Amino acid sequence: MSVPLLEIKDLHVQVEGKEILKGISLRVEKGQVHALMGPNGSGKSTLSNTLMGHPKYQVTQGQILYRGENLAGLKTDARARAGIFLAFQYPTSIPGVSVANFLRTAMKARFGEAFQPKEFRKTFKAAMAELGIDEGFATRYVNDGFSGGEKKRHEILQMKLLKPELAILDETDSGLDIDALRTVAEGINHLRGPELGILLITHYQRILNYVQPEAVHVLINGQIIRSGGKDLAHELEAKGYAPYEVLKEPPKEIVSK
Amino acid sequence: MDSVSPPLLVKWEIPSPEIIQAGVILTDLDSALRQFPQMIEEYLFQTGTPEGFPKFVALHQALWKQGLFCYVPDGVRVELPLRASTQIVSGAGAVFPHTLIVVGQGAEVTLIDERYSQGNGSSDAVVSDEMVEIFLKPGANLRYVHPQQWAPSVTELFTQRVLLDRDAQFFNVMVTLGGRLTKGNVETVLSGTGCRSELLGILFGSGSQHFDFHTLQDHQAKATFSDLLYKSALKDTAKAIYTGLIRIRKEAQKSDAYQANRNLLLSQGAQADSIPILEIEADDVRCTHGVAVGPIDPEQEFYLMSRGLPSTEAQRLIVEGFFEQVFKRIPLDSLREQLMAEVTNRLSSVHPSTSSG
């Protein structure tokens, strides 16, 4: 049996002393798209930040294995260079740093010796054209004054250029109108392939009309309470998360009132 | 003073002979005194008494020696930037350079005026007590870029006083990277109706560098405009204190004045204080000021690291971005790149001891 691309085993994560993820297990194989669905506050962004090694998120129990290797000792930048990519839900702006400069630096970090600066301009222009991004984008400052759609397209552009092996897309569909959603979904489909595993984190079923997942998982209150095929997403769309949320333990303070 | 004065070298460069034919003068102050004594007498120490650091100004007035003279006659527009530099060559002691710039009515010029020490590692203790005086005649337009990269053993006392006449325009970029201690005072007197001034500053401090900067935007006439932005990035135990005064006098109705000071602290031991002061005597003006002091935003760093950049590389990019807003206004590509490279170099290097006995 081959080693899975990503294997999460009984993962518990705390943020500022509060446990958010309460024992998650998940396997993503190369070439697969897994959708992770859940309502607000279920722990979706905690999982994506933890996978990327954000210092604020503390793993208290369990393991994350990437290509069989435990990520515990690897810092964010090392994870990225190893091929993990996070498309942010709310990409932060970096005033004064141009998109071109940022991407050139990032590609140099990711590909090391193999990065060819002379090829950059061509590769960069071609990638922008494919995603329908205006060339003027290159000289704008990273995410500074970008519209919601521009931010998401910029994330997909980075994913395209950095060629990850594992991409975590954190609510990349949120806040997009139907045209922008379609462009972003096309971008994702275009990047799908036998070498890339995708964890598509979303609140809504909408994007799954465009990006067909191999598996769907439902995250409620820090636990995956159900996994299934793509039909599960349609069921969630019809019934909502409410039937699952009753499984939540009621917070004790409220009960005592 | 001669026995204790380290040699000071003043250099200048006029990019084309036509500029000289048009009557532009750019030369060292000693030569100018011999060749144009009446002109020097008319302007030297005539911008008025600076309000800041009176003792250093008095000392400079008593002992001034060497410097630069730049004169652009009425109506002459110089397209190419003029360049000059004042260099400390070697030895310990005190220097008192004086820079005098006169831009005539409707004339226009860019002057890049650098300060540096030869053999930057020199540990000779030097005090530089210098003064820059600038006269802008009606409708004159000056872009004055002042990059300072003194050796770490230099103590800098710096005064700049600018007098703007009617409709004159002054654009200033101060880049302060060197020295162990800088006490800087930049006074801009907007004395003619409709004159405008844009004042940009960059400070980068490492080791135990200390900057104490004062600025004055003195609006004395109607419908005058000034906009100031000073940015500092500080690492190790470097410290910056900024005191900025905007004064709008009763006669200066319909004036606009802006002031912003932003500080990026790159280590726990770095420190920045910012003191804005407003003195508004007119009632029909627009005036704002803003201050920010803080470390690198951890979310910015995380974002860049999530793209494979090591922490140091991420910080470098953030600092470059922080300065970009000012650097992009430097009107000479090669100088801008050289200064940015110098900031990057200072950012990554472990600073040598700045104590000089």
Side-chain angles (χ1 to χ4, degrees), chain B residues 204-251:
Chain B
F204 185 87
S206 56
S208 57
Q209 265 177 293
H210 185 130
F211 306 105
D212 180 7
F213 253 93
H214 289 234
T215 63
L216 167 67
Q217 295 151 266
D218 191 355
H219 291 254
Q220 300 185 347
K222 216 176 139 184
T224 50
F225 172 92
S226 73
D227 189 5
L228 178 144
L229 172 65
Y230 271 53
K231 289 191 148 190
S232 73
L234 305 161
K235 68 169 205 168
D236 304 327
T237 56
K239 188 174 177 180
I241 304 169
Y242 170 77
T243 311
L245 169 60
I246 293 177
R247 180 186 295 138
I248 305 186
R249 302 185 191 235
K250 316 198 264 297
E251 301 78 17

Side-chain angles (χ1 to χ4, degrees), chain B residues 164-169 189-197 219 221-226:
Chain B
L164 287 93
D165 210 326
R166 178 171 47 81
D167 296 323
Q169 290 191 42
V189 183
L190 300 119
S191 62
T193 305
C195 65
R196 297 173 69 86
S197 163
H219 291 254
K222 216 176 139 184
T224 50
F225 172 92
S226 73

Side-chain angles (χ1 to χ4, degrees), chain B residues 135-158:
Chain B
F135 295 84
L136 302 180
K137 299 296 173 80
N141 185 340
L142 171 67
R143 288 175 295 272
Y144 183 59
V145 183
H146 184 102
Q148 184 270 79
Q149 300 181 72
W150 293 130
S153 55
V154 174
T155 299
E156 179 184 42
L157 313 170
F158 175 85

Side-chain angles (χ1 to χ4, degrees), chain A residues 49 52 54 76-77 80-81 85-86 88 92-97 102 105-106 109 141 143 155 158 162, chain B residues 297-311 313 316-318 320-322 324-325 328:
Chain A
N49 279 305
M52 205 66 239
H54 194 297
T76 300
D77 54 318
R81 289 194 298 273
F85 179 87
L86 169 62
F88 284 76
T92 185
S93 68
I94 306 177
V97 177
F102 162 59
T105 314
Y141 296 150
N143 296 319
E155 295 295 292
Q158 293 171 52
L162 295 173
Chain B
D297 178 352
E299 294 307 321
Q300 288 185 341
E301 193 176 351
F302 178 63
Y303 188 75
L304 293 175
M305 287 179 73
S306 81
R307 300 310 183 233
L309 277 65
S311 172
E313 187 84 342
R316 176 187 66 81
L317 216 54
I318 293 166
E320 281 182 14
F322 177 71
E324 169 66 14
Q325 199 180 356
K328 75 174 178 200

